[in-house]
Amino acid sequence: MSSTTLNKQFQVAVVGGGVCGLTCAVALQRAGVQVELFEAAPAFGDIGAGIGVGPNAVRTLEALGFMNALLERIKPDVPNSRSFAFHFGQGNHEHIYTYETTPEDNGLFVHRAVFLDALVSLLDPTIAHFNKRCVSVTESPVGSTGKPLLIHFQDGTTYEADVVLGADGVKSHVRNFVVGAEDKRLKYSNTVAYRGLINYAQLQAAGFKTDLAERPVCFVGPNKHFILFNIKNTQITNVVAFSARYDIPFGPQKEDTPWVDKVSKEVLQAEYEGWGPDVSALLGLMPEDSSGWSIHVVDPPLESYVKGRVALLGDAAHAMLPHLGAGAGQGLEDTYVLARLLSHPDTHADNVEAVLAAYSALRQPRAQMVWERSRRMGRIYDFHGPSGTTTEGIRKDVLDMYDPVWHHDMEDDLTGAANALRDNGAFPAGSVA
């Protein structure tokens, strides 16, 4: 996928310049597919938090040829196999379980800004268009001699494309085209994530005893939990504190307050009052104004990520709770499949709809499986797991939760998709590429 010679007679427009959109645009560009990228902001932004790059996502980045650009920006950190330790958040932080990994289970924790910078370094800047907020996608008028799709932007301009890929996030406007109506699937998950960065040496000096140098840690408790991991060569501790309600169903998007808001240290301390000494030490060092993120998801799931020549990827398709650290990885898998299928030697303008349908048939079941497991994992952390709140019960529920997420063969998937396209006549019989 390193070629830059244009070898397809169709043009792709990627809507959204976040991690998924950028990854997809670079992958298509390198594969010789004509692509243009449209981003709503005036520049590629660095707003966001840490991204969990699990073993499946590491393998995807390596297959795309993007890993070296990322590693250059996080030296001396490298992908490594780190187990994950679970402790009770209250009392004396009794150890519950350590999720062991194999030597092949290499992962990373990377700040979103660093990830984006690595991708931008690989992108042909001439294909990026800024201040282009998509408000809708429509089919071109009957009798039009132009391309079959029109992207409408907030500034009143339009763009014609043969294929539109919606990577415009959980609030996606491209999703309206795919569902055929105003989308009602954007839901507030009744979960808030409080985020902050703390100097690890200062945290230890404040009396924090749980070891974060060797592995990430999850403190579990009633309706709340913490995810802690070190970044920047273990110098900085990334803190994500979750608080959720389970007595009400997911509801409409949260309109009355900002999705991301400032939260004082005092509010955080009150939220986790009565938790153990390590949590108290940690909260005492949180920034005076931490960020509180209202987590929204796509629910119920989309039956398909595709309609005609329009496809969704990443959060636009399957925004999920972050409790497996797998949302970004699923978006990267989407981009890999799209890039491989759209650049396939047998893909052309006349069969591209069938190719996109094969993408959806491949990705929707897997991404939804991860969506469901992420929700289940949050319930386990917050004392709503099926086996109860004892050490044995939590250990039983957590066991093997990551395995189907991390251990999955994308190449087998792609082989199956190509075979299905041959079987339905979209690809010529007997082709072996």
Side-chain angles (χ1 to χ4, degrees):
M1 297 180 61
S2 60
S3 170
T4 56
T5 302
L6 298 179
N7 53 34
K8 295 296 179 186
Q9 298 305 308
F10 57 84
Q11 187 173 55
V12 177
V14 177
V15 178
V19 167
C20 288
L22 263 170
T23 302
C24 193
V26 175
L28 290 171
Q29 164 200 303
R30 287 185 159 197
V33 177
Q34 299 178 66
V35 60
E36 302 290 327
L37 176 63
F38 298 92
E39 164 57 27
F44 295 119
D46 60 1
I47 297 174
I51 293 175
V53 184
N56 58 310
V58 167
R59 289 191 297 273
T60 301
L61 289 171
E62 289 172 343
L64 287 166
F66 296 174
M67 183 56 77
N68 286 343
L70 183 57
L71 294 179
E72 283 293 318
R73 285 158 177 79
I74 62 171
K75 290 179 178 177
D77 290 345
V78 295
N80 60 75
S81 178
R82 292 194 294 178
S83 56
F84 205 99
F86 298 88
H87 295 256
F88 286 108
Q90 297 174 321
N92 292 318
H93 306 302
E94 176 190 346
H95 176 256
I96 300 170
Y97 179 66
T98 295
Y99 199 105
E100 295 297 344
T101 56
T102 70
E104 291 75 37
D105 292 336
N106 291 320
L108 281 171
F109 293 104
V110 184
H111 195 278
R112 184 174 185 272
V114 175
F115 205 128
L116 286 175
D117 183 60
L119 294 171
V120 169
S121 73
L122 302 172
L123 182 75
D124 175 358
T126 65
I127 71 171
H129 310 273
F130 299 102
N131 295 305
K132 293 296 180 182
R133 182 176 297 279
C134 171
V135 294
S136 67
V137 176
T138 62
E139 294 177 336
S140 296
V142 175
S144 169
T145 58
K147 297 183 184 300
L149 296 168
L150 275 175
I151 307 172
H152 301 261
F153 298 106
Q154 194 173 57
D155 63 5
T157 62
T158 59
Y159 183 81
E160 294 182 342
D162 294 303
V163 174
V164 174
L165 303 180
D168 50 339
V170 64
K171 297 182 182 181
S172 173
H173 286 280
V174 180
R175 193 163 61 235
N176 291 333
F177 180 91
V178 172
V179 302
E182 184 181 357
D183 180 50
K184 301 292 186 182
R185 287 173 170 80
L186 179 59
K187 299 289 174 60
Y188 174 50
S189 69
N190 307 314
T191 302
V192 178
Y194 304 106
R195 304 180 187 272
L197 300 173
I198 297 174
N199 181 281
Y200 185 46
Q202 292 180 2
L203 185 59
Q204 291 175 302
F208 188 95
K209 301 255 190 299
T210 305
D211 181 22
L212 300 178
E214 294 299 321
R215 60 183 59 86
V217 165
C218 177
F219 285 132
V220 304
N223 301 319
K224 301 175 176 67
H225 68 275
F226 285 76
I227 300 291
L228 311 173
F229 57 86
N230 284 350
I231 58 176
K232 296 187 176 180
N233 200 28
T234 75
Q235 296 176 28
I236 301 296
T237 299
N238 190 96
V239 179
V240 191
F242 291 93
S243 179
R245 290 187 61 181
Y246 294 92
D247 58 331
I248 53 176
F250 290 177
Q253 62 173 307
K254 196 173 182 181
E255 300 275 8
D256 53 335
T257 59
W259 282 28
V260 181
D261 206 359
K262 295 294 184 183
V263 180
S264 70
K265 183 189 297 187
E266 290 73 22
V267 167
L268 280 179
Q269 289 172 324
E271 183 78 21
Y272 299 91
E273 185 177 2
W275 282 52
D278 278 3
V279 171
S280 296
L282 181 152
L283 293 176
L285 291 173
M286 285 288 278
E288 289 300 327
D289 288 311
S290 300
S291 58
W293 299 61
S294 296
I295 308 298
H296 289 69
V297 299
V298 173
D299 183 56
L302 294 168
E303 294 80 13
S304 173
Y305 298 161
V306 167
K307 181 181 179 182
R309 292 167 171 252
V310 179
L312 301 171
L313 62 152
D315 282 352
H318 45 68
M320 62 187 67
L321 286 161
H323 303 314
L324 284 174
Q330 286 309 292
L332 291 173
E333 288 186 11
D334 292 343
T335 65
Y336 183 61
V337 171
L338 280 167
R340 286 284 300 273
L341 290 179
L342 288 173
S343 64
H344 192 282
D346 292 327
T347 297
H348 49 76
D350 292 335
N351 67 4
V352 73
E353 289 191 24
V355 169
L356 292 178
Y359 155 77
S360 179
L362 183 65
R363 291 297 307 148
Q364 195 277 347
R366 173 159 167 78
Q368 191 57 33
M369 176 274 293
V370 178
W371 193 104
E372 297 289 351
R373 292 179 85 89
S374 297
R375 184 178 189 180
R376 191 190 323 164
M377 195 63 141
R379 296 184 67 87
I380 295 167
Y381 295 160
D382 292 354
F383 285 7
H384 292 271
S387 302
T389 63
T390 65
T391 299
E392 294 75 17
I394 295 171
R395 184 183 295 130
K396 177 182 176 182
D397 289 343
V398 166
L399 187 66
D400 297 331
M401 281 290 286
Y402 288 96
D403 283 5
V405 181
W406 289 353
H407 305 136
H408 184 77
D409 193 328
M410 297 295 293
E411 299 307 317
D412 279 354
D413 281 354
L414 286 162
T415 298
N419 288 336
L421 287 164
R422 292 184 192 98
D423 289 344
N424 67 24
F427 282 1
S431 63
V432 296

